[in-house]
Amino acid sequence: MTETSDPGQQVFVRHRNLLFSVAYRILGTAADAEDAVQDAWISWSAADRSRVADPKAYLTRIVSNVALERLRSTRRKREAYVGPWLPEPVLTSGDAAEAVVDAESVSMAMLVVLETLSPIERAVFVLREVFGFSHAEIAEAVGRTEAAVRQAAHRAREHVRARRPRFAADRSRQRAVTERFFAAATGGDVNALMELLSPDVTLWTDGGGKVRQAMRPVVGAATVAAWFAAIGDVAYQGVEPADMDAQLAEINGGPGIVFRGQGRVIATVTFDFDAGGRITTIHNVANPDKLQAIADGTARSLRTR
C-alpha cells in the first residue's frame, strides 16, 4: 500500500507485516498469507473503527480467523499432494535471524512440524507460543471457549516438543556449514559433502508433480551426497550445469541456497543441523508454484513483535 492520509489505512499499514507473519506461520504459504492479509484489509475497511479499542489485537484476530478458515479449506488438497508437501519458502531479512525464537518459528523444519497439527491446534500454537497472546484473546480470535483453547495449546505444545528440538548449532556455525555445503555441492565434491552430513541425514524434495523429484525421502549421507554432487554433472529441469546459477541466501530465517537457470528460480535448499553443526535434514523445494515469493526477490521481516 502507498502512503495515505487515511488514519485507518495508516493503522493497517503499520501492522501489515505482523499480520503477514501470523498468517504465514498458520498457513505455511506466502501466497495464501497475502490473501489472508488482503481479506483482513477488506474487513478492516468495512469495520466501525471508532469502536475498536486495540487495533493491533483486532486486526490479529481478523487475520488469524481468515487464515484458520483458509487452512481448513486447503487441508484436503495438501493430503492429495503429489509427493512430500513442503512449505513455501520466503526470503527473510537479517533481523529475523538475529532473534532465535523468530527464526525457529518460521524455519522450514518448524513449519513442517506445524503441518502435522490440526488447523485449530496450529492456529492456537502460533498465537500462543510464537506471538504470546493470552488464552482469552485466542479464544475470541478462533471462536472457541478458553478451556478448549487451553486444551488445544497443551496438545500442540507437546506434539511440537516431541518432534522439533530447539536449535542446537549456533547461527555462525550454521552459516559456515552452509557455505561449505554450497562449495562442495557446486564443485561436485562427494567427500566434502559427506563430512558435513549426519550419517542418517534425510533429504525431502517437493516437486508437487510439476517437476521430477524424489517421491519419498532420501536417507543416508552417501545417497544424499551423491544426489547433490550430481549438480555439477547432470542437467536439472532442462538446465545444463553450465547455465545454472546458485547463490547463498537467507531463507526462512536461516542460511539456504537458491538455484536459478534460464531466467527463473528452479529450486531452494534449506537445512537443519545437530548440536555439532552437521546437517540432519535438507528441504529442497522445486515446485514452481511455490517459488514465486523467492523469485520476487523481496526479503521479508517476519519478526513476532
Side-chain angles (χ1 to χ4, degrees):
M1 294 182 180
T2 57
E3 292 186 9
T4 176
S5 58
D6 177 13
Q9 187 169 333
Q10 289 176 350
V11 169
F12 188 86
V13 170
R14 187 181 313 134
H15 298 301
R16 193 184 193 288
N17 183 70
L18 173 67
L19 301 183
F20 179 86
S21 297
V22 171
Y24 178 70
R25 286 173 170 89
I26 292 176
L27 289 161
T29 62
D32 285 335
E34 288 287 7
D35 288 345
V37 171
Q38 184 60 29
D39 287 348
W41 162 247
I42 294 172
S43 296
W44 174 248
S45 299
D48 181 0
R49 296 192 290 267
S50 65
R51 305 182 63 176
V52 177
D54 186 345
K56 177 182 175 182
Y58 183 87
L59 286 167
T60 303
R61 288 197 297 271
I62 293 175
V63 82
S64 299
N65 191 264
V66 170
L68 178 57
E69 290 304 312
R70 188 174 290 269
L71 180 61
R72 287 171 174 152
S73 68
T74 60
R75 180 53 64 95
R76 184 167 297 180
K77 292 181 180 179
R78 295 185 186 184
E79 291 174 350
Y81 195 77
V82 178
W85 189 96
L86 294 178
E88 181 182 352
V90 295
L91 297 172
T92 48
S93 55
D95 58 354
E98 291 168 5
V100 173
V101 173
D102 291 349
E104 181 180 12
S105 68
V106 79
S107 69
M108 294 293 283
M110 175 60 85
L111 293 177
V112 168
V113 172
L114 294 183
E115 190 65 20
T116 63
L117 298 174
S118 71
I120 187 65
E121 288 172 346
R122 181 169 186 167
V124 169
F125 180 88
V126 168
L127 293 173
R128 177 63 180 168
E129 301 298 324
V130 180
F131 290 92
F133 286 94
S134 69
H135 292 109
E137 290 171 324
I138 298 170
E140 184 176 357
V142 301
R144 297 292 182 93
T145 65
E146 188 172 341
V149 164
R150 288 183 180 276
Q151 291 177 352
H154 176 74
R155 290 195 304 268
R157 186 166 52 250
E158 292 302 307
H159 182 95
V160 171
R161 183 178 298 161
R163 290 163 176 78
R164 177 63 183 148
R166 297 184 64 83
F167 282 151
D170 63 65
R171 307 293 295 176
S172 61
R173 178 171 292 185
Q174 290 182 28
R175 286 192 294 269
V177 172
T178 301
E179 290 171 358
R180 291 172 60 194
F181 182 95
F182 174 83
T186 54
D189 190 337
V190 174
N191 291 331
L193 287 169
M194 290 282 289
E195 293 177 358
L196 302 172
L197 301 174
S198 170
D200 57 352
V201 62
T202 303
L203 164 65
W204 296 88
T205 66
D206 180 346
K210 304 293 181 69
V211 297
R212 187 176 181 180
Q213 290 287 84
M215 298 298 291
R216 293 181 177 83
V218 180
V219 181
T223 308
V224 173
W227 173 286
F228 281 99
I231 289 175
D233 300 319
V234 180
Y236 183 71
Q237 295 187 32
V239 181
E240 294 295 330
D243 299 324
M244 189 181 300
D245 175 61
Q247 295 179 330
L248 293 169
E250 184 186 305
I251 302 174
N252 287 73
I257 304 173
V258 178
F259 292 90
R260 292 180 172 84
Q262 297 181 346
R264 58 190 172 89
V265 175
I266 58 178
T268 63
V269 174
T270 53
F271 308 92
D272 208 13
F273 305 86
D274 65 16
R278 289 189 302 181
I279 297 169
T280 57
T281 308
I282 303 174
H283 296 107
N284 174 206
V285 178
N287 182 346
D289 294 342
K290 293 186 177 182
L291 296 173
Q292 189 57 51
I294 298 292
D296 286 347
T298 302
R300 300 176 182 273
S301 172
L302 295 175
R303 296 294 294 270
T304 57
R305 297 292 183 270

